[in-house]
Amino acid sequence: MRKKFGLVGLLMMSLAVALPVAGSVMVSQQAIAATNGIVIEGAQRVERETILSYLQFGPNEPATPEKIDASIKALFQTGLFSDVKIERRGSNIVIHVVENPMINIVNFEGNSEIDDDTLQKEVEVHQSMVYTKARVQSDTRRVLALYQSKGFYNVRVDPKLIPLSDNRVNIAFEISENGKTEVTDINFIGNKSISASRLRAAMVTKEKTWWNPFLRNDTYDADRLEYDKELIRRFYLKNGFADVQVTAAQARLKDSGNAFAIDITIDEGPRYSIGDVAVNVGTANLNGNGLRSKVKTGVGDTYDASKVDKSVESLTLEASDQGFTFAKVEPKVDRNPDGKTVNITYNITEGQRAYVERIDIIGNSRTRDEVIRRELRLYEGDAFNRTLIERARRRLTALDFFEKVDFKEQPGSAPDKIVLVVDVAEKSTGSLTFSAGYSSTETIVGSVEYAERNLFGMGYQQNLGTSLSFVKQSLNYSFTDPYFLGSNISAGIDLFANNTDNQTSSSYTSTQFGGALRTGFRLDEYQSVNFRYGLAHRYISGVNTAIAAPAVIAEQGNSWKNYVGAAYVYDDLDNPNLPTSGLRAQLSTEFAGLLGDAQYAKVEGKAYYFIPLLEDQVVVKLEGTAGHIQPLGNDVNLQDRFFKGGDSFRGFAPGGIGPKQMGNDGNWYSIGAQDYAIGTVEASFPIGLPEALGISGAAFTDFGTVFNSGNNPAFGGGTSASNCGFQPGGSGCSIFDQADFRVSVGAGLVWQSPFGPLRLDYSIPLMKSPTDTVMNLRFSLGTRF
């Protein structure tokens, strides 16, 4: 019994000791009581308070496993730590952290196609930032994507971590570019009616060719390929295939690993022609004849979806011009697959009345909003008017600040309100142009011109040009504010200086310098008026009286010119930079004589008319210029006369046509004219080369006359005996001044090169006077920045 009781007692004592211990273990599994506080270990840069702020429990609070897990996750998510541990040590909770290092320098190695600055803008890691593996991996993917967008699909990017003291690191992105992955083949499947070459020409992506090292877009880009699918679809729609579908466009890496082949699958469907066209105005009070004249689709024509869109736009604008402000034009296209014809009905109804709630401008990183807004002539609260929007589009295009100008309509805060979004894509507005030519008088002639059309993003226009040759040097500067002091009046200033050394050809040197003030304003959408006041000092020196012409001898010395001028301009060109249709006409007058030595009245007219032919493939330009200068008192000075040739009359040298006077050495020298009339017919057209080359052709003829040396005897005027008529060089002859009709013909090539537009013209005079100076070849080269 004693043994039994002893065993029972021993058992009871053991239980009494074990129960508290077991209770303690159970508590540790359920919660850690932070009775004496929180201890943080391993923190160097991160403040204690920062770490405590991410904990899900505080001092003297129980820390459940759930709260501990949440705290560890919260601390990891800060990106400040590479390791976090939470444990109990005695009565305290210990937070042990290992901080991520601080980034000292970020370098790029092995990159030659993309510079460091561009790569640095692409990545997120930078100096003095906390390093995280996830961020560096993300930046590696960013660099890869940037290279791939530029055609480098074999690129490798390896980030390297270089440890430094004080828990700092350098990061180096080691890049192996491995050359561009170019597109060498574009294949089409299912194109039965349209050749592969025509389809390739419609695409932005191009095949790499050895003969065009400047070719762009010859690398694979997934987004560009999607756009090409749409371009191909539009091309088919333009050529009668109303049911076309581009079912697939896939790029595959060729076995070589450094080139792509693109396969595009097409379901063409039938080609349709137009069976009937109608315009339905319903009950609207509209002029049906005026509307029908705006329709671009004609019966019997091949169906063209782009012409349907243009017809809708033209009908909408015409209805708006007729007072139907909220016109809605909906084309209805009824297909007849058996007869392969479509009937098109343009239904015009009154759409929902809408007003402009807000105008948002996007895409203008350089051009200021007010420069764009002042061209809109449409304001918040105005009725939504497509005519005004189309005119605004034309004005913004005329600025030549943007590659594209799009107007987008977004819903406003109410059904009758529209948010108008003006989406622009800016382009370079500065240009640096070089030109050169050859003539028998000046031999090699060169010029350099700098121009900025959008100075400081304010729309200011600035030009600085110089012309250099063996005989002539000039410097010109102009500045224009098209909206002076925020008004609708333009203001500008011109400064110039030039020096012409004619010692070899005419035995004199001419020097001029001066300036002018300009102002002007618009009369309406297409008409404007400009005014000018100018002052110039002229000097003719170095005259060799033994050989110079009498007109030159009479003009030597100083003279002042003080003048005022005015000009009227009409301009409805569809595009001021590359016009294909429309008219630009200018009539200008100039009066000198209130002060100074020059006394004359001058009038000049210029007109340019463009006609598109063969679906805008050929553009014909008709140009006419004419002028007359009338002396007031004395005869017109040498520097104020008309000297034509060069660009103004191709086939002849600058100043190479018009009245000529025999010098004392027996040679003929140009003395300028008081009258001229010159016409031009020019056609621009493609020449069959791949569109990617950017080369087009031109054929032209210039014709006209330059005459009238005046009545001053020094210029050979006043006595008929001095006029040589058609036989220059006869006895007693000193001047050749006949209104002879000149004609030249020529052809040229225009290349939109990577360095800028280059033009080469060769022209031959068919009709000329015996004293004219010929210049057959002329070329120019320009670049933009």
Side-chain angles (χ1 to χ4, degrees):
M1 291 294 293
R2 287 181 180 178
K3 290 183 179 180
K4 291 181 179 180
F5 279 111
L7 291 172
V8 171
L10 183 59
L11 180 59
M12 294 295 292
M13 290 178 63
S14 299
L15 288 173
V17 173
L19 281 172
V21 176
S24 176
V25 173
M26 291 175 64
V27 170
S28 67
Q29 292 176 345
Q30 295 175 358
I32 301 176
T35 57
N36 291 327
I38 298 174
V39 177
I40 297 176
E41 295 180 348
Q44 299 176 5
R45 297 184 308 270
V46 183
E47 299 290 338
R48 172 184 173 85
E49 288 74 15
T50 300
I51 297 175
L52 292 176
S53 67
Y54 287 98
L55 298 180
Q56 307 301 309
F57 55 86
N60 301 315
E61 292 181 4
T64 65
E66 291 79 7
K67 289 185 177 182
I68 292 174
D69 288 342
S71 300
I72 292 174
K73 290 178 181 178
L75 289 170
F76 269 120
Q77 288 174 355
T78 63
L80 299 173
F81 310 105
S82 61
D83 193 19
V84 178
K85 294 180 181 179
I86 299 179
E87 61 183 3
R88 179 176 179 180
R89 187 179 299 166
S91 60
N92 292 329
I93 293 180
V94 179
I95 314 295
H96 183 79
V97 297
V98 177
E99 292 183 349
N100 275 323
M102 186 70 70
I103 298 174
N104 181 50
I105 296 175
V106 178
N107 287 325
F108 301 93
E109 300 175 359
N111 55 304
S112 60
E113 297 294 333
I114 303 178
D115 58 44
D116 288 0
D117 292 338
T118 302
L119 291 171
Q120 189 62 69
K121 293 176 182 177
E122 188 68 22
V123 300
E124 293 182 346
V125 294
H126 56 76
Q127 186 177 4
S128 301
M129 174 183 281
V130 175
Y131 163 83
T132 66
K133 185 177 181 180
R135 186 176 289 128
V136 171
Q137 289 175 340
S138 174
D139 283 343
T140 300
R141 291 190 293 269
R142 286 173 176 268
V143 173
L144 284 170
L146 178 63
Y147 267 96
Q148 289 174 357
S149 69
K150 296 182 180 297
F152 294 84
Y153 275 82
N154 287 330
V155 66
R156 288 188 57 188
V157 181
D158 297 317
K160 301 295 184 182
L161 204 65
I162 305 172
L164 302 173
S165 60
D166 299 326
N167 199 25
R168 296 175 303 125
V169 294
N170 287 345
I171 298 176
F173 290 93
E174 296 182 353
I175 301 171
S176 299
E177 294 176 334
N178 297 323
K180 282 190 175 182
T181 314
E182 296 160 336
V183 175
T184 57
D185 297 283
I186 300 178
N187 306 310
F188 296 93
I189 303 169
N191 58 316
K192 301 175 183 178
S193 302
I194 298 180
S195 66
S197 60
R198 293 182 66 193
L199 294 176
R200 292 190 191 102
M203 297 174 60
V204 175
T205 303
K206 302 300 180 183
E207 289 181 338
K208 179 64 179 178
T209 55
W210 62 269
W211 43 264
N212 187 2
F214 305 113
L215 186 64
R216 302 176 181 177
N217 298 328
D218 58 353
T219 57
Y220 170 64
D221 184 285
D223 293 334
R224 192 194 304 142
L225 184 57
E226 284 298 314
Y227 181 55
D228 282 330
K229 288 175 60 178
E230 177 61 19
L231 290 179
I232 292 171
R233 190 184 73 88
R234 293 179 187 177
F235 186 79
Y236 268 97
L237 290 173
K238 187 176 181 180
N239 287 275
F241 296 88
D243 301 327
V244 65
Q245 292 185 10
V246 181
T247 57
Q250 297 178 336
R252 50 186 172 85
L253 194 62
K254 301 181 75 172
D255 294 338
S256 61
N258 58 2
F260 275 101
I262 295 176
D263 300 321
I264 300 175
T265 306
I266 302 167
D267 182 4
E268 290 182 336
R271 173 178 281 179
Y272 293 93
S273 60
I274 298 176
D276 187 35
V277 178
V279 178
N280 179 21
V281 299
T283 59
N285 185 19
L286 294 171
N287 182 352
N289 292 331
L291 290 168
R292 280 186 285 272
S293 67
K294 300 298 180 181
V295 174
K296 310 296 183 183
T297 52
V299 175
D301 293 347
T302 299
Y303 172 78
D304 185 343
S306 66
K307 287 187 177 181
V308 175
D309 294 337
K310 291 178 181 178
S311 298
V312 170
E313 182 179 351
S314 298
L315 289 170
T316 302
L317 293 176
E318 177 64 22
S320 180
D321 288 342
Q322 293 187 25
F324 209 50
T325 304
F326 301 98
K328 182 179 180 181
V329 180
E330 293 180 317
K332 183 182 179 184
V333 180
D334 296 320
R335 294 175 175 82
N336 179 10
D338 295 333
K340 296 182 181 180
T341 60
V342 294
N343 297 330
I344 305 174
T345 302
Y346 298 95
N347 296 306
I348 303 178
T349 59
E350 184 174 14
Q352 182 180 0
R353 293 180 175 270
Y355 300 88
V356 179
E357 179 180 22
R358 191 176 72 252
I359 299 176
D360 294 337
I361 301 174
I362 60 176
N364 55 320
S365 59
R366 183 186 181 205
T367 307
R368 301 193 182 185
D369 279 8
E370 57 265 29
V371 174
I372 298 175
R373 286 184 179 273
R374 68 193 183 193
E375 302 294 336
L376 299 181
R377 318 287 169 85
L378 189 68
Y379 306 96
E380 282 85 351
D382 287 353
F384 182 76
N385 190 314
R386 295 190 184 277
T387 299
L388 295 180
I389 291 176
E390 186 59 30
R391 291 177 180 175
R393 186 196 312 277
R394 180 181 177 275
R395 283 191 295 269
L396 288 175
T397 302
L399 293 177
D400 199 21
F401 297 170
F402 313 108
E403 290 183 351
K404 72 166 186 175
V405 178
D406 289 335
F407 285 82
K408 302 176 182 178
E409 305 160 24
Q410 296 181 353
S413 60
D416 63 342
K417 293 182 179 180
I418 289 177
V419 175
L420 185 63
V421 179
V422 185
D423 186 3
V424 299
E426 292 182 312
K427 66 179 180 180
S428 59
T429 55
S431 64
L432 185 62
T433 303
F434 303 88
S435 65
Y438 178 85
S439 75
S440 57
T441 55
E442 295 187 51
T443 62
I444 297 176
V445 182
S447 67
V448 180
E449 181 181 8
Y450 155 79
E452 173 56 65
R453 302 183 302 279
N454 188 17
L455 189 64
F456 308 129
M458 294 291 294
Y460 301 144
Q461 300 163 15
Q462 180 174 256
N463 289 77
L464 177 63
T466 180
S467 177
L468 301 173
S469 73
F470 289 107
V471 299
K472 185 176 181 180
Q473 306 83 42
S474 66
L475 182 66
N476 302 279
Y477 174 80
S478 67
F479 175 85
T480 304
D481 181 356
Y483 290 85
F484 184 61
L485 298 178
S487 68
N488 289 324
I489 297 176
S490 66
I493 184 172
D494 299 322
L495 300 172
F496 68 89
N498 60 64
N499 183 78
T500 304
D501 183 358
N502 291 319
Q503 290 297 329
T504 301
S505 60
S506 301
S507 188
Y508 77 95
T509 298
S510 173
T511 303
Q512 302 186 60
F513 60 88
L517 299 175
R518 293 175 284 105
T519 186
F521 56 89
R522 301 195 68 86
L523 298 175
D524 58 23
E525 185 68 20
Y526 305 109
Q527 303 177 88
S528 62
V529 177
N530 304 296
F531 302 94
R532 173 192 298 264
Y533 165 74
L535 181 66
H537 177 261
R538 291 92 65 82
Y539 186 62
I540 292 181
S541 62
V543 178
N544 187 342
T545 57
I547 62 174
V552 176
I553 297 173
E555 291 284 309
Q556 62 182 326
N558 294 284
S559 66
W560 285 91
K561 175 182 173 181
N562 189 25
Y563 66 95
V564 293
Y568 164 82
V569 179
Y570 177 88
D571 187 348
D572 69 351
L573 297 179
D574 62 334
N575 187 314
N577 308 309
L578 295 172
T580 60
S581 65
L583 169 69
R584 176 181 171 86
Q586 176 176 320
L587 179 65
S588 60
T589 60
E590 188 174 289
F591 174 78
L594 293 179
L595 297 172
D597 303 300
Q599 297 179 341
Y600 64 82
K602 180 170 66 175
V603 60
E604 285 189 272
K606 302 177 182 179
Y608 310 85
Y609 186 62
F610 294 86
I611 305 171
L613 300 175
L614 302 177
E615 298 183 349
D616 297 349
Q617 293 294 309
V618 178
V619 177
V620 176
K621 180 180 75 170
L622 306 179
E623 176 183 342
T625 61
H628 171 73
I629 184 168
Q630 179 67 37
L632 302 175
N634 296 327
D635 205 32
V636 180
N637 292 345
L638 193 68
Q639 294 101 325
D640 298 319
R641 292 166 170 263
F642 300 121
F643 291 84
K644 295 298 178 180
D647 288 335
S648 61
F649 205 131
R650 288 163 291 190
F652 299 94
I657 57 176
K660 298 286 183 77
Q661 188 174 38
M662 182 179 292
N664 292 331
D665 62 350
N667 293 318
W668 292 96
Y669 300 106
S670 176
I671 58 174
Q674 294 182 193
D675 294 280
Y676 76 92
I678 301 173
T680 295
V681 178
E682 178 172 313
S684 302
F685 48 83
I687 58 176
L689 293 176
E691 187 178 350
L693 288 177
I695 299 178
S696 59
F700 56 84
T701 177
D702 293 341
F703 48 88
T705 182
V706 184
F707 63 98
N708 188 2
S709 61
N711 295 319
N712 192 324
F715 287 86
T719 59
S720 60
S722 67
N723 197 316
C724 301
F726 293 97
Q727 299 295 328
S731 176
C733 171
S734 65
I735 190 170
F736 183 81
D737 179 16
Q738 295 292 322
D740 290 351
F741 192 72
R742 282 91 164 174
V743 178
S744 68
V745 296
L749 291 175
V750 182
W751 178 31
Q752 300 298 330
S753 75
F755 316 105
L758 184 150
R759 176 157 184 158
L760 177 66
D761 288 327
Y762 187 84
S763 49
I764 302 173
L766 299 181
M767 297 177 63
K768 64 185 183 70
S769 294
T771 58
D772 290 343
T773 306
V774 173
M775 185 178 80
N776 301 113
L777 187 66
R778 188 172 182 86
F779 69 92
S780 64
L781 171 66
T783 186
R784 291 182 176 272
F785 58 89

